[in-house]
Amino acid sequence: MDTALTLLRNVLARAPASLEAACEDLPSALLPGRPTDDIALLVARTRALDARHVATWDLTSDPTITAGARTYASDQLAAQGPEELSFTTELMVSEMVTNAIRYGKAHIQLRMILQSTLMCEVGQGHLGRARGARSVDAGGLTFRLPSLTSQSGR
């Protein structure tokens, strides 16, 4: 198994930019003989956001921190744009932080992600990777503003 994983890593490290070409190269590299069984292969390319697209702030459960969270959100939008979303974002951040303080635990985190949409998250502890909330989730709130391309020309 270790040998196969090493071979897979080596093939993917030199894989062409096209996923289609990588899918064509992998079977012959990994299985030089004729396979006796069917093979399923899933290849996906992931992208990480540039750090300048993500802003994170650790908050205390002190109710007075809500004003600071609003200022933080507003300052982030002033620095990265689009400022026209500032009022709505401040309002939502204020509501989410207030709810986290009221119903949550001591450690609260605010995260703003700006790419094709602006996403504001407030949760308990480390927020991890972005994902949609399920009906049973109660550990954090996510607020997404619509696509920024039509609003800011990005």
Side-chain angles (χ1 to χ4, degrees):
M1 184 64 142
D2 290 337
T3 304
L5 287 175
T6 301
L7 182 58
L8 178 62
R9 280 189 211 103
N10 291 340
V11 170
L12 291 175
R14 67 179 193 284
S18 159
L19 289 181
E20 290 81 12
C23 287
E24 290 174 10
D25 292 349
L26 280 169
S28 61
L30 295 174
L31 303 165
R34 187 176 181 105
T36 58
D37 203 356
D38 291 336
I39 301 169
L41 179 65
L42 173 65
V43 178
R45 179 169 288 121
T46 60
R47 295 181 307 199
L49 285 176
D50 188 308
R52 60 192 166 97
H53 291 280
V54 181
T56 305
W57 194 25
D58 292 320
L59 308 170
T60 65
S61 59
D62 179 357
T64 62
I65 200 68
T66 303
R70 284 192 308 267
T71 301
Y72 174 76
S74 181
D75 289 349
Q76 283 302 122
L77 288 175
Q80 295 181 9
E83 267 187 280
E84 66 267 13
L85 299 178
S86 186
F87 176 77
T88 306
T89 303
E90 284 184 44
L91 178 64
M92 292 307 299
V93 164
S94 180
E95 287 295 317
M96 292 190 314
V97 168
T98 299
N99 284 338
I101 291 169
R102 180 176 292 155
Y103 302 110
K105 299 175 184 148
H107 183 253
I108 301 165
Q109 191 175 74
L110 166 63
R111 180 168 61 187
M112 295 176 64
I113 302 169
L114 179 64
Q115 193 172 20
S116 60
T117 62
L118 170 63
M119 184 169 34
C120 298
E121 300 175 324
V122 175
Q124 304 295 307
H126 179 68
L127 289 171
R129 65 178 179 81
R131 64 174 175 79
R134 299 169 299 173
S135 61
V136 296
D137 288 341
L141 298 168
T142 300
F143 167 63
R144 286 183 193 241
L145 289 173
S147 174
L148 299 175
T149 47
S150 62
Q151 297 171 344
S152 65
R154 290 184 181 191

